[in-house]
Structures are given as C-alpha cells and as structure tokens.
C-alpha cells in the first residue's frame, strides 16, 4: 500500500502514518480533506492572486504547487518550467518536492509522476505534509509542539468553558462549541457564547465558520453538515482548520508566549520549592506511618475468637491492599521526586537539595526495610492463628453440639433411674420395666461413643490452648461425672429390678400355691359351715344317731384341717416375711384368689364355734327324740285299747239295731243305758287327745307303736256317738210312726224281718230304692223302710186332699185370704202358711189373696216352697 512518512524525531507525524488507509475506510474523510485542503491552499494562493478549484488537477503541472510553497515559506524556489509537456510538469513537481525535502521532511513513495497523473491520494498526502510542516510543526506550547502543542493550546484556551472538553481533533469538535470557544476567548465581542446550545451543533458550527470567515480572514474550510453527519470527523481536516485559528490569533499568542516564559521561570522555582516541601512532608508522613505500623506488625498476641483474628486478617489485608500500596507508591514517588528535583535543580543551575536530618532517601529505605522485616511472617502467623482458631471454633462448636445433644438426652434420666416405681409394680409390670431398662441400657451403651468424643474434643481444645478451656473442662467434667453416675444408677436399678422380679416371682409362686390350697380349703370350710348350720328334721332315734355319728366323723377330720389351715397361713406368712425382710411394697393382693387369711381364720373360727353348737343341737334333738318315743309309746298304748273298744261298741250297736228284741220302748231304754255307758268312756278319749296334743306340739308325724291315729279315734268316736244317737232316734221315730199309723208290734216285727232280709231285685228294687234312698247314698235306714212300708200298706194324705181342704176353708175360691187363714187355723199354723204362700195373681184376685194351690203342692215336694 502506498504511504508517506517523515524522518522527523517529533511525534506529530505518528498518528498520520496510515492516513490513506483511513481514507479508504471512510470516503467521507476524503471529501472533507479535499474541501479543507483546497480552502487552506486558496487562503495562501490568494495572496499571490490565484486559487485552485480541483486539488488533484490544478497541481498537476507543478506551477501552483511551487507558488504555494513560495507563499507559505517566504522563499524563492527554482525557476519553473513553462512547457506543457509531461516532462516539464514532472520537473516542476520535483522542484516542489525537493524544496519540501530541504525543509527536513522526507517524502516516501510520493513521486512527481503520481502528482502529475492526478493521483488524489498522493496529492492529498503531499498537501497534508506541507500543512504539517509549515502550519503545524512550528507550534509550541509549554514544551509541547506540533499536534500536541496545538491540542494543548486548544485545551488551555477552552479550559474556562465548562461545556467544552477538547481531547482530540475529531469528535471533540462535532458540537461546534470548541470553534466558538476559541473565537470567544480571543474575540468575545464576535460571539454571544451564552446563547449557544450544545444540542444545536449545526448552528454552533455555522456561527463559528461564518464569524471566522468574516472577521478573522479564515476561509470556510468545512461544511457544518459534513461534520455533524459524520460519526468521526476527519482529524487532518479538523487539525488544518484549527491551525488556521491558531495562526489567526498568533499575535496574541506571542504576548502569551512571553508571559508564559516568565511564568515558566517562576514556575520552575515554585515547582522546585514545592517539590522540596512535598518531599519533606511526604518523607515525614511516610516515616511516621512506618513508625506507627511496625509495632502493629510485630504484635503477635493471639486473639481468643475467630472473629477477632479474622478482623486482624482483614485489617492486615486492608493494610496490604489499601494502606501499604499507597505508601509503596509514596515511597517510590518520593524517590522519583527526589531524583527529579535534583535533576531539575542541576538543569536549572541551582544547588542540590539536602533533606532534613533523618529524611534522606537512605533513611527512608532503612525504615522501610524495618517495616518489611516486621511484616515478614505476620500474615503467615495470622493464617496459622486463624487455622488454629478455626479448628478451635470448629472443635468448640462440635463440643457444644455434642454436649447439648448429650445433655438433652441425659435430661431426666437420673430421675428416671432413681424412681422407685418397681416397689409398687406387679410381676408383669416388673418384667415390662426390665425390658424397658434393657432397651435403656442399649441406648446408654450407644451413647458411650459420644461421651468419649466429648472428652477427646475437650482434651484437644486444652492442647490447642482454647481460651474458654475452663468452662469446656467444667462442662466435660460434669458430663463425665453424670455419665459415671448414670452408669452406677443403671446398674443399681437393674439390680433392684432383678431383685424385685425374683422376690415377686417367689411371692407369685407362693400366691399361686396359697390360692391352690386356699380354694379347696375354703370350699371345705364353707361346706362344713353349711353342714353345721344345716337345720335337720328327724323323727326317730335312729336318724339322730346317724347324724351324731356323721358329726363325730367330721370332728375327727378337724385336726388335719387345722394343719392344712396352718400350712396355708404359713404360705401367706412367708409372703409377709419376704415383704418385711426385703421391704417389698406390694402393689396389690393375691392375683390368683380373693380369699384372705383373715377370711380363712374367720371361717375356721366360725367352724369351731359351730361344732359345739352342733353337738348341743344333736344332744338336744336326741333327748327330744327320746321324749317323742315315750310319747309315741304312751299314745300307742292308749290308742291300741281305745280303738278296738270303739270298734267293738260299733259292732254291738249294729247287732242291737238288727236284733231289736222286745218292744220298741224296751229297745229304747236299753239303747239309752248303752249310750250312757259310752258317754262315760269320754275321759279316756280326752286323755288320748291330751297325749295327741303333746305329739303334735313335738311335731311327731308317725308312730310305729300303733296303727291308730288320733283322727281315726276321733272319727270312730264320733261315728259311735252318731250311731247310738241315730239308733235311738230310729227307735223313737218307729214309735212315732207306729203310733201315727196304728202299726202293731207284730207288723213292726215283720217290717224288721223284711228289712233285715231286703232283696235287691231289678226293676222293683230300683223303684223302691228311688223312694227309700232319694239322695243315692247307697244306704237305707230302717225308718225310711217303715215309711215306705206304711205308705204301701195304708191310706195316707195326699197333696190333692190338702188342696181340697184349703178350698173348703176358702169358701170354694181359688185363693185364700190372710184373715181366713187366721180364723180357721191355729195361730202357729196360720202364720206358717201366710209366710210361705205366694200371692195369688189370677183374674179373680183381690188384695191380700194367697195361692194355696201352689203351697199344697209344695208341701209334698212337688214344687219349691
């Protein structure tokens, strides 16, 4: 690629080394350079009365190029060739190029042929080289020159303008305020700067370009639109434009240069003095800082907490990261300032600087070496300490966690192990407590590792010199002591549980044995009490003797029963002895039985009390049975006499009633004498009744000594009395019948013979029986038989005859009155009839009329009275 370069040692050419590459990349810059370079050339060519229109065409013959160089240099060039041929043109261009080279600028790759041929890039490059050499190279501002000088000049001139910040020759000028500020700085009357706005670059640029062209004789080298419309305006075009402003204000610049020269001399002295003061102050501050810092770095006193050590490490890191680096820089700057100061003093022909005592660079280096020595190992110590504290914190936290877990687990365990719940527990509850205790022992063994870990951690904390070791040791010791106590309490509780289990098992076996023996013994006693209290009913000596024998046999078993009782009570006493000896607090009673020793003793005592009572009862009953036997024999002896006597008498009366010797009156007398002899026998009956009453009161229900009961005797006696009375009555009735019907003695004897030989024959018998035995009793009395025989053989009154008699009394009426009855009949018979006759209700009835017909019929049993 074609390019041009310069041999100047100055730096102002460096940014433009690749100007043609920029043009290739941005054609807008080529356009800006054409316009700017053309205007710049014309600003000088017009002084010679000419100008150019097309920069790559108008310089091809070299004539205007040579003229331009003469105008801007003020020197004469070699006489140009006036011919129109190519060779003449090349000759003229070479003369121009040679002149440029004579000014110390070496043109590389820019040949006359390219200019003559109208190569736009080479032409623009050549013009830019001319601008640099004659318009920019000689600019000098505060020891800077060329481009940097021009930039510094712009910065100095625009410094008072806050909205202007010139940092380059491209985008810093886009808003136009930089151009306006340069004009306003030198010619404030030309621009009202206060009205300008940063957001209106076209107005600002056009204002600056118009004012410059009108009042400062600076032609308009760029269009405002070209600058605003380009992202990055062409640097060469802007530099060319700005250099015109610099040269326009060169008169003012010269005065400023003179002032700057004075200021420069004064500034050198001031700067040197300030450097001396700064050195002194900086050296003092640095030495003071070192003096304060070294003790801090030498302090190796460890902290107790990780937080404190981390703060130390953080402080050290702040020291290394924030505090020391500036001090290193200060130390370096101090040395630089010292060397710079000495150099400046030497260059300005001033005497060398001698710092105050102790503030030499060597003094500072020695102090710094002490600081480095103190610092050496401090960070390593900090890290080691942090690692130690980290380890300690970790161990301490681990200790606390494990201790807390362990303490939480052990909380309440001692109280649990010390409780005496087994003292009131049953055997099944004891076995459950043992199972639970075995589980606890397993749990306890599982926690052994944690206790050992806690002790090991505490030991390590002691070895690492943990600051809070006393409290750790105290807590560890408490845990270990508690652990030992838990172990002892666990063993003690196990022994107590096992001992209690063994005792309760023994007691349980005794309880079971007690129950097995107490139950049948209790049943035996209850049966015995029931038997002893059983009311007995006996009626014979043999029965009471059987009961007595059984009772004696029962009494014979009492010694063995008492031994069994004592054995059963001995079992219970053995339980009580175990309870008292081993202080077993029994939670309940015998689970196998509800029978208590008190009940057994109570029932046994009751049995013993009942035995003599039973003896007494049996004796009394035996005596009573003996008495009853006497009563039986006494009653039997009398009954065996009275019974046959009654039977004999009954038979005798029967014979008398059949035989009936003599007249009825003789028979009647004989029977009454016989009745009297029977009645005289009554005291013996009464005596037998007395004996019978004693038998009944003695509740005697049978008597083997006689077949006669009192009821038999009573019935026989009553029958005897009834029979004799009936027989006497029969005789009396026979006498009445005889007298009433006129029956002779001979007829009576016949009737008796017929009665005694009465034949029961078939139909006739049935007719006769319906008359003589109307109640169907199967018994026919002699009186009934006489009545029958009398009716069969004699004329007797009938119901019709009686009815006819009443009709006569009534005066032949169908009824009779009360008055008629009372007039015709005796009073008794009249009242008898009035009371029994029903009222008469016939059609001819009158008040007080009575029905005699129904009454007559009723008299003979043909209707109810």
């Amino acid at each position: 690629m074609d390019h041009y370069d310069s041999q100047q040692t100055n730096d102002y050419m460096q940014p433009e080394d690749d100007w043609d590459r920029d043009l290739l990349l941005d054609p807008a810059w080529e356009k800006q350079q054409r316009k700017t370079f053309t205007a710049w050339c014309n600003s000088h060519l017009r002084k010679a009365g000419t100008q150019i229109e097309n920069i790559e065409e108008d310089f091809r013959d070299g004539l205007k190029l040579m003229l331009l160089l003469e105008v801007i240099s003020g020197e004469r060039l070699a006489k140009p060739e006036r011919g129109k041929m190519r060779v003449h043109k090349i000759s003229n261009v070479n003369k121009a190029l040679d002149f440029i080279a004579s000014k110390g600028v070496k043109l590389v790759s820019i040949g006359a042929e390219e200019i003559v041929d109208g190569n736009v890039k080479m032409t623009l490059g050549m013009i830019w080289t001319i601008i640099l050499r004659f318009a920019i190279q000689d600019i000098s501002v505060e020891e800077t020159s060329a481009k940097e000088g021009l930039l510094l000049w712009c910065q100095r001139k625009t410094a008072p303008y806050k909205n202007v910040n010139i940092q380059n020759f491209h985008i810093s000028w886009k808003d136009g305020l930089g151009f306006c500020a340069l004009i306003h700085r030198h010619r404030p009357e030309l621009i009202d700067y206060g009205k300008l706005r940063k957001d209106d670059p076209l107005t600002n640029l056009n204002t600056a370009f118009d004012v410059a062209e009108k009042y400062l004789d600076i032609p308009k080298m760029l269009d405002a639109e070209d600058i605003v419309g380009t992202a990055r305006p062409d640097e060469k075009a802007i530099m060319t434009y700005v250099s015109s402003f610099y040269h326009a204000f060169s008169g003012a610049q010269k005065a400023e240069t003179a002032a700057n020269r004075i200021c420069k001399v004064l500034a050198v002295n001031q700067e040197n003095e300030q450097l001396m003061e700064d050195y002194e102050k900086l050296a003092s501050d640095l030495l003071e800082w070192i003096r304060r810092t070294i003790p801090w770095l030498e302090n190796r006193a460890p902290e107790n907490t990780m937080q404190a050590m981390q703060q130390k490490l953080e402080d050290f890191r702040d020291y290394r990261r924030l505090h020391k680096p500036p001090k290193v820089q200060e130390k370096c700057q101090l040395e630089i300032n010292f060397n710079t100061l000495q150099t400046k003093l030497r260059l300005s022909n001033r005497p060398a600087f001698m710092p105050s005592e102790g503030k030499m660079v060597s003094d500072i280096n020695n102090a710094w070496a002490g600081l480095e020595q103190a610092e050496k190992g401090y960070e390593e110590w900090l890290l080691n300490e942090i690692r130690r504290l980290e380890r300690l914190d970790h161990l301490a936290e681990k200790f606390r966690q494990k201790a807390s877990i362990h303490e939480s687990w052990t909380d309440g365990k001692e109280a649990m192990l010390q409780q005496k719940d087994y003292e009131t527990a049953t055997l099944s509850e004891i076995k459950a407590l043992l199972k639970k205790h075995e589980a606890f022992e397993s749990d306890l063994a599982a926690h052994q590792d944690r206790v050992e870990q806690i002790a090991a951690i505490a030991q390590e904390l002691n070895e690492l010199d943990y600051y809070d070791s006393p409290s750790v040791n105290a807590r560890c010791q408490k845990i270990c002591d508690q652990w030992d106590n838990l172990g002892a309490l666990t063993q003690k509780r196990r022994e107590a549980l096992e001992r209690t289990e063994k005792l309760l098992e023994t007691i349980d076996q005794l309880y079971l044995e007690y129950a097995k023996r107490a139950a049948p013994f209790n049943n035996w006693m209850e049966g015995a009490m029931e038997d002893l209290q059983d009311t007995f009913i006996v009626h014979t000596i043999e029965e009471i003797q059987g009961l007595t024998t059984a009772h004696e046999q029962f009494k014979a078993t009492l010694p063995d029963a008492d031994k069994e009782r004592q054995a059963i009570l001995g079992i219970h006493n053995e339980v009580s002895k175990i309870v008292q000896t081993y202080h077993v607090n029994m939670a309940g009673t015998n689970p196998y039985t509800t029978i208590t020793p008190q009940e057994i003793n109570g029932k046994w005592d009751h049995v013993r009390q009942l035995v003599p009572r039973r003896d007494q009862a049996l004796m009394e009953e035996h005596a009573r049975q003996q008495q009853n036997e006497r009563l039986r024999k006494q009653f039997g002896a009398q009954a065996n006499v009275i019974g046959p006597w009654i039977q004999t008498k009954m038979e005798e009366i029967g014979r008398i009633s059949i035989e009936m010797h003599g007249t009825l009156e003789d028979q009647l007398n004989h029977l009454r004498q016989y009745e009297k002899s029977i009645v005289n026998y009554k005291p013996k009956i009464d005596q037998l009744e007395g004996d019978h009453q004693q038998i009944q009161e003695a509740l005697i229900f049978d008597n083997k000594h006689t077949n006669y009961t009192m009821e038999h005797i009573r019935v026989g006696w009553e029958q005897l009395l009834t029979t004799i009375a009936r027989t006497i009555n029969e005789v009396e009735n026979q006498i009445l019948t005889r007298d009433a019907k006129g029956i002779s003695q001979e007829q009576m004897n016949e009737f008796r013979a017929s009665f005694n030989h009465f034949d029961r024959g078939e139909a006739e018998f049935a007719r006769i029986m319906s008359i003589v035995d109307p109640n169907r009793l199967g018994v026919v009395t002699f009186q009934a038989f006489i009545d029958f025989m009398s009716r069969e053989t004699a004329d007797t009154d009938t119901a019709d005859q009686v009815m006819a008699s009443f009709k006569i009394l009534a005066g032949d009426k169908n009824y009779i009155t009360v008055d008629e009855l009372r007039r015709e009949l005796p009073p008794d018979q009249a009242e008898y009839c009035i009371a029994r006759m029903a009222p008469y209700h016939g059609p001819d009835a009158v008040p007080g009329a009575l029905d005699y017909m129904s009454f007559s019929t009723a008299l003979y049993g043909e209707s109810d009275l």
Side-chain angles (χ1 to χ4, degrees), residues 270-285 334 337 341 353:
Q270 289 175 334
E271 183 181 1
N272 290 341
E273 290 174 0
Q274 187 62 45
L275 286 173
M276 292 177 189
E277 290 178 8
D278 290 346
Y279 178 88
E280 287 285 336
K281 185 176 185 312
L282 196 58
S284 297
D285 292 346
L334 193 68
N337 289 353
L341 177 59
F353 170 61

Side-chain angles (χ1 to χ4, degrees), residues 83 102 105 171 236 272 278 346 383 391 408 433 451 512 555 604 627-628 844 856:
S102 69
V105 179
I171 61 175
K236 299 176 179 63
N272 290 341
D278 290 346
R346 186 169 61 253
L383 293 175
R391 174 66 177 164
S408 176
L433 287 175
V451 176
L512 184 59
K555 289 198 293 184
W604 177 254
Q627 175 63 22
N628 289 350
D844 52 348
S856 299

Side-chain angles (χ1 to χ4, degrees), residues 166-402:
I166 304 301
Q167 297 297 328
N168 50 55
F169 287 109
H170 37 81
I171 61 175
S172 293
W173 302 86
K174 279 191 71 174
D175 59 7
L177 291 178
F179 291 106
C180 292
L182 288 176
I183 295 171
H184 186 266
R185 178 67 184 272
H186 295 89
R187 299 286 299 277
E189 75 280 2
L190 297 180
I191 292 180
D192 187 355
Y193 191 84
K195 292 184 178 181
L196 300 178
R197 292 185 297 110
K198 192 174 183 69
D199 60 356
D200 190 6
L202 284 175
T203 299
N204 299 338
L205 289 167
N206 284 324
T207 298
F209 295 164
D210 291 344
V211 169
E213 186 175 28
K214 184 176 181 180
Y215 296 104
L216 302 178
D217 198 24
I218 299 174
K220 192 173 183 180
M221 299 183 182
L222 286 171
D223 291 332
E225 291 76 10
D226 293 338
I227 296 175
V228 174
T230 306
R232 185 175 183 270
D234 180 62
E235 188 176 46
K236 299 176 179 63
I238 297 296
M239 282 180 65
T240 301
Y241 213 154
V242 172
S243 67
S244 299
F245 280 85
Y246 175 84
H247 290 295
F249 299 126
S250 60
Q253 185 67 30
K254 290 177 182 178
E256 185 177 346
T257 302
N260 287 341
R261 185 174 293 110
I262 295 171
C263 290
K264 182 178 179 181
V265 173
L266 296 176
V268 169
N269 277 353
Q270 289 175 334
E271 183 181 1
N272 290 341
E273 290 174 0
Q274 187 62 45
L275 286 173
M276 292 177 189
E277 290 178 8
D278 290 346
Y279 178 88
E280 287 285 336
K281 185 176 185 312
L282 196 58
S284 297
D285 292 346
L286 186 58
L287 287 170
E288 176 60 22
W289 179 81
I290 292 171
R291 184 188 65 77
R292 291 196 316 270
T293 304
I294 286 176
W296 176 69
L297 292 171
E298 289 176 341
N299 180 18
R300 296 292 195 274
E303 297 291 344
N304 291 332
T305 64
M306 170 69 92
Q307 186 177 2
M309 283 307 296
Q310 284 179 332
Q311 186 58 49
K312 272 197 171 186
L313 180 61
E314 191 62 32
D315 292 344
F316 180 72
R317 285 176 179 166
D318 287 345
Y319 159 77
R320 292 296 303 272
R321 190 170 56 244
L322 302 176
H323 304 307
K324 186 180 179 184
K327 299 304 177 183
V328 173
Q329 187 65 34
E330 286 178 16
K331 176 178 176 293
C332 180
Q333 191 62 46
L334 193 68
E335 294 174 355
I336 292 171
N337 289 353
F338 182 81
N339 294 333
T340 300
L341 177 59
Q342 298 293 35
T343 301
K344 287 186 175 183
L345 289 173
R346 186 169 61 253
L347 292 175
S348 61
N349 296 317
R350 286 168 175 74
F353 170 61
M354 182 60 66
S356 304
E357 185 177 355
K359 296 181 183 178
M360 294 291 291
V361 173
S362 59
D363 296 329
I364 292 171
N365 286 334
N366 290 335
W368 191 265
L371 177 72
E372 295 282 354
Q373 185 64 32
E375 183 183 318
K376 184 179 181 181
Y378 184 69
E379 184 175 21
E380 183 178 355
W381 173 78
L382 282 175
L383 293 175
N384 288 336
E385 275 298 299
I386 286 175
R387 278 193 289 270
R388 183 181 72 85
L389 286 176
E390 185 179 36
R391 174 66 177 164
L392 283 174
D393 281 355
H394 172 72
L395 286 173
E397 180 60 25
K398 190 174 181 181
F399 175 84
R400 282 190 291 271
Q401 287 181 353
K402 287 185 176 295

